[in-house]
C-alpha cells in the first residue's frame, strides 16, 4: 500500500469510527439509562433485602449468560473477518455459532431448574432464578456478535435500545412489593428477548441462507473456543459472583449494598465501553489488511481510553454520595464508600479490558490473556473472601480493586515483553 493510499485509508477510518462511535455512545447512554431509571424504583420498593435477592439471582443468571456467550462475541467476530468474502463460510460460521449458543442456553436452563429443585420452590431465590430463563434464550438468539462483526453498529444500537426499553413499563407494572424480585428479573429477561428478536428482524440485509442446525460443527466451534472461554469465563464468573458471595459471607443486606454500588460502577464504566466495541472489529481488520496502520492506531486508542476513563471514574468517586442517594435512597448510605472504591476499580478494569480483549485476544496472544487473568483472579478471590468476612460490602470492593490491579499489571508486563509497540515503544 502506497503512502497516499495509506493516508486515504486512515482518513476513511477516522470518519467511519467517528460516526459509529457517536451511534454507540447514544446506545450506551440509553442502555444504562434504562436500568438506572429503574434503580430508584427497585431500591425503594424491594428494600435492601429484596434488592439483595434480586442482585444474587441476577448474579447467577449472569453466570449462565456468560456460559451461553462462550466468548463467541470475540472468536466468531474474528472468524468472520478472516472469512471475509467467502459467503459460504460466513454462513457456516453464523449457523455454527447460533446452534452452539442454543445448545449452551438449553444446558444452562436445565442447570437453573436443578438449582431450584435443590433449593426448593419456597426459597426466595427459586422463582427469580426461573424468571431469568427467557434471558438465556434471548442471549442465544441475539445477533449482537454478527452485527458488531459486520460493523452494523447503528442497527445493533436500535435493536438493543428498543428492546431493553420494554423493561421499564414491564417493571413498573409488576414490581409492587419487597417480594417481587422475580418480576424485577423478568423485566430484564423480556427486555433482552425483545432486543434479540429485533436484532434478527433488522439484520435482514445479512444473507443467512437456509436454516440449519449443524450440531457436530457447533460442538467443534465450542471446542475451538475453549482456550479463550476459560479466561473470559473466569473473569465474568469472578465479577458476577461477587454479590452472591457477599450474600453468603455477610448476608443479603450487605449483598444489596454491594449490588447497588456495583450497578452505579457498571453504568459509569460502560460510558466509554462503545470505544472498545468499535475498536475490536477495526483492530481485526487492520491486523489482516493494514498492519502498519495498526501500529499507530493502538497506542492512540490506549491514550484515549486512559484519559476518558480516568475522568469518568473520578467524577463518579467525587459524586458518590449524590449518586447513591439519588438512585438508591438514603437507606443505602453505607454504599457511598463502597461506590468510591469501586469507581477506582472501574478505571483499572477498563484498562484491563482494553489491553486484554482488544490487544492480546485480537493479536492472538491467548496464553498471555489466560495467565494474566487467572493470576489476578486467584489473588483477588482470596483477598475478597478475607476482606468480606471482616468488612462486608466494603471489604469486597477493596478485594475487587486489588485483584483488578494485579491483572492490569500482569497484562501490561506481557505486552511490554512481547509487543512493546502497542505502548508506542520501538
Amino acid at each position: 500500500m502506497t503512502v497516499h493510499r495509506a493516508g486515504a485509508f486512515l482518513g476513511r477510518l477516522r470518519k467511519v469510527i467517528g460516526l459509529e462511535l457517536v451511534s454507540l455512545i447514544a446506545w450506551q447512554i440509553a442502555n444504562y439509562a434504562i436500568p438506572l431509571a429503574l434503580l430508584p424504583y427497585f431500591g425503594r420498593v424491594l428494600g435492601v433485602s429484596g434488592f439483595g435477592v434480586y442482585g444474587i439471582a441476577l448474579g447467577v443468571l449472569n453466570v449462565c449468560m456468560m456460559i451461553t456467550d462462550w466468548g463467541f462475541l470475540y472468536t466468531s467476530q474474528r472468524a468472520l473477518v478472516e472469512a471475509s468474502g467467502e459467503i459460504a463460510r460466513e454462513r457456516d460460521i453464523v449457523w455454527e455459532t447460533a446452534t452452539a449458543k442454543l445448545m449452551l442456553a438449553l444446558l444452562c436452563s436445565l442447570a437453573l431448574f436443578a438449582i431450584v429443585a435443590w433449593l426448593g420452590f419456597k426459597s426466595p431465590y427459586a422463582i427469580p432464578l426461573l424468571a431469568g430463563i427467557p434471558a438465556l434464550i434471548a442471549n442465544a438468539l441475539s445477533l449482537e456478535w454478527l452485527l458488531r462483526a459486520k460493523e452494523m453498529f447503528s442497527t445493533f444500537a436500535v435493536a438493543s435500545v428498543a428492546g431493553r426499553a420494554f423493561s421499564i413499563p414491564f417493571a413498573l407494572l409488576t414490581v409492587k412489593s419487597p417480594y417481587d424480585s422475580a418480576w424485577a428479573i423478568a423485566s430484564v429477561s423480556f427486555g433482552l428477548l425483545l432486543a434479540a428478536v429485533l436484532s434478527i428482524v433488522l439484520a435482514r440485509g445479512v444473507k443467512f441462507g437456509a436454516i440449519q442446525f449443524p450440531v457436530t460443527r457447533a460442538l467443534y466451534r465450542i471446542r475451538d473456543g475453549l482456550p479463550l472461554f476459560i479466561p473470559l469465563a473466569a473473569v465474568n464468573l469472578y465479577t458476577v459472583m461477587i454479590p452472591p458471595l457477599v450474600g453468603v459471607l455477610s448476608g443479603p443486606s450487605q449483598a444489596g449494598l454491594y449490588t447497588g454500588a456495583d450497578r452505579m460502577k457498571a453504568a459509569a464504566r460502560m460510558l466509554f465501553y462503545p470505544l472498545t466495541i468499535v475498536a475490536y472489529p477495526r483492530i481485526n481488520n487492520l491486523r489482516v489488511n493494514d498492519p502498519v496502520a495498526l501500529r499507530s492506531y493502538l497506542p492512540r486508542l490506549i491514550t484515549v481510553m486512559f484519559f476518558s476513563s480516568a475522568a469518568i471514574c473520578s467524577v463518579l468517586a467525587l459524586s458518590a454520595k449524590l449518586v447513591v442517594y439519588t438512585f438508591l435512597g438514603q437507606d443505602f448510605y453505607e454504599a457511598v464508600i463502597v461506590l468510591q472504591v469501586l469507581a477506582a476499580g472501574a478505571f483499572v478494569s477498563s484498562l484491563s479490558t482494553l489491553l486484554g480483549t482488544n490487544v492480546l485476544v485480537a493479536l492472538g496472544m491467548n496464553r498471555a490473556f489466560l495467565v494474566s487473568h487467572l493470576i489476578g483472579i486467584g489473588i483477588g478471590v482470596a483477598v475478597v473472601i478475607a476482606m468480606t468476612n471482616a468488612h462486608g460490602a466494603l471489604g469486597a470492593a477493596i478485594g475487587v480493586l486489588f485483584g483488578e490491579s494485579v491483572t492490569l499489571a500482569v497484562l501490561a508486563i506481557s505486552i511490554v515483553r512481547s509487543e512493546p509497540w502497542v505502548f508506542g515503544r520501538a
Side-chain angles (χ1 to χ4, degrees):
M1 181 177 288
T2 64
V3 174
H4 175 72
R5 288 177 62 193
F9 177 80
L10 287 175
R12 292 194 301 271
L13 180 65
R14 294 189 189 96
K15 182 178 180 181
V16 171
I17 288 180
L19 291 174
E20 296 297 350
L21 186 57
V22 169
S23 174
L24 281 175
I25 288 175
W27 159 73
Q28 194 64 57
I29 291 174
N31 196 34
Y32 276 83
I34 291 169
L36 280 177
L38 289 173
L39 275 183
Y41 185 73
F42 284 169
R44 288 165 175 79
V45 174
L46 295 176
V48 176
S49 295
F51 199 83
V53 172
Y54 163 74
I56 291 171
L58 190 62
V60 175
L61 176 61
N62 283 335
V63 172
C64 293
M65 292 183 69
M66 173 267 300
I67 294 172
T68 305
D69 281 332
W70 201 258
F72 295 131
L73 190 59
Y74 300 104
T75 57
S76 293
Q77 275 197 66
R78 190 167 62 190
L80 278 179
V81 171
E82 294 170 351
S84 181
E86 300 179 29
I87 303 301
R89 181 59 192 141
E90 287 187 359
R91 289 175 178 173
D92 286 343
I93 293 170
V94 169
W95 288 111
E96 289 165 9
T97 303
T99 302
K101 294 186 74 174
L102 279 171
M103 293 166 62
L104 292 169
L106 291 175
L107 181 65
C108 289
S109 297
L110 291 174
L112 285 180
F113 276 112
I115 292 172
V116 169
W118 177 67
L119 291 174
F121 282 92
K122 292 184 178 180
S123 168
Y125 303 106
I127 304 303
L129 288 174
L130 294 179
I133 289 179
L136 300 181
I137 305 303
N139 202 34
L141 296 175
S142 175
L143 292 180
E144 173 185 344
W145 69 273
L146 175 62
L147 296 176
R148 284 167 60 165
K150 293 289 186 180
E151 299 187 62
M152 298 170 63
F153 297 118
S154 298
T155 302
F156 157 61
V158 170
S160 179
V161 172
R164 296 188 184 210
F166 176 74
S167 63
I168 294 179
F170 187 98
L172 294 177
L173 289 172
T174 56
V175 180
K176 298 294 186 180
S177 76
Y179 306 102
D180 287 337
S181 298
W183 286 114
I185 295 291
S187 69
V188 175
S189 292
F190 286 109
L192 290 174
L193 190 59
L194 182 57
V197 172
L198 288 174
S199 74
I200 296 172
V201 172
L202 295 176
R204 287 180 299 177
V206 178
K207 297 179 180 180
F208 299 110
I211 295 176
Q212 54 180 301
F213 295 99
V215 175
T216 301
R217 295 204 308 271
L219 290 173
Y220 283 133
R221 183 152 292 280
I222 292 173
R223 183 200 65 184
D224 293 341
L226 184 61
L228 183 58
F229 170 74
I230 292 173
L232 288 174
V235 171
N236 285 292
L237 183 64
Y238 170 67
T239 301
V240 303
M241 287 305 292
I242 295 298
L245 181 62
V246 173
V248 170
L249 297 175
S250 300
S253 294
Q254 289 296 313
L257 293 173
Y258 184 89
T259 299
D262 190 53
R263 295 300 293 271
M264 301 292 105
K265 164 198 169 181
R269 182 185 169 197
M270 289 302 157
L271 288 176
F272 41 80
Y273 183 56
L275 187 62
T276 61
I277 294 178
V278 173
Y280 185 77
R282 188 62 52 173
I283 290 169
N284 278 297
N285 278 314
L286 290 176
R287 176 178 58 82
V288 173
N289 300 312
D290 195 348
V292 174
L294 182 63
R295 285 181 169 265
S296 60
Y297 177 77
L298 274 179
R300 292 201 305 271
L301 177 66
I302 292 171
T303 301
V304 170
M305 177 62 81
F306 180 90
F307 286 105
S308 62
S309 60
I312 291 171
C313 295
S314 296
V315 170
L316 178 63
L318 293 173
S319 60
K321 183 176 181 179
L322 175 63
V323 170
V324 168
Y325 282 18
T326 299
F327 288 101
L328 297 175
Q330 295 188 11
D331 288 346
F332 285 77
Y333 67 93
E334 292 181 84
V336 173
I337 189 170
V338 177
L339 178 57
Q340 290 173 330
V341 175
L342 289 178
F347 169 68
V348 174
S349 63
S350 69
L351 297 179
S352 295
T353 299
L354 180 67
L355 296 184
T357 55
N358 287 68
V359 177
L360 293 185
V361 172
L363 296 181
M365 300 168 62
N366 291 348
R367 184 177 182 278
F369 182 78
L370 170 64
V371 171
S372 58
H373 281 81
L374 291 185
I375 291 175
I377 290 170
I379 295 174
V381 167
V383 177
V384 165
I385 291 174
M387 294 297 292
T388 302
N389 274 321
H391 304 289
L394 176 59
I398 294 172
V400 168
L401 172 60
F402 188 85
E404 289 172 340
S405 299
V406 172
T407 299
L408 178 60
V410 179
L411 282 169
I413 292 171
S414 299
I415 293 173
V416 168
R417 287 180 174 177
S418 301
E419 306 288 346
W421 59 268
V422 170
F423 293 117
R425 300 175 60 182

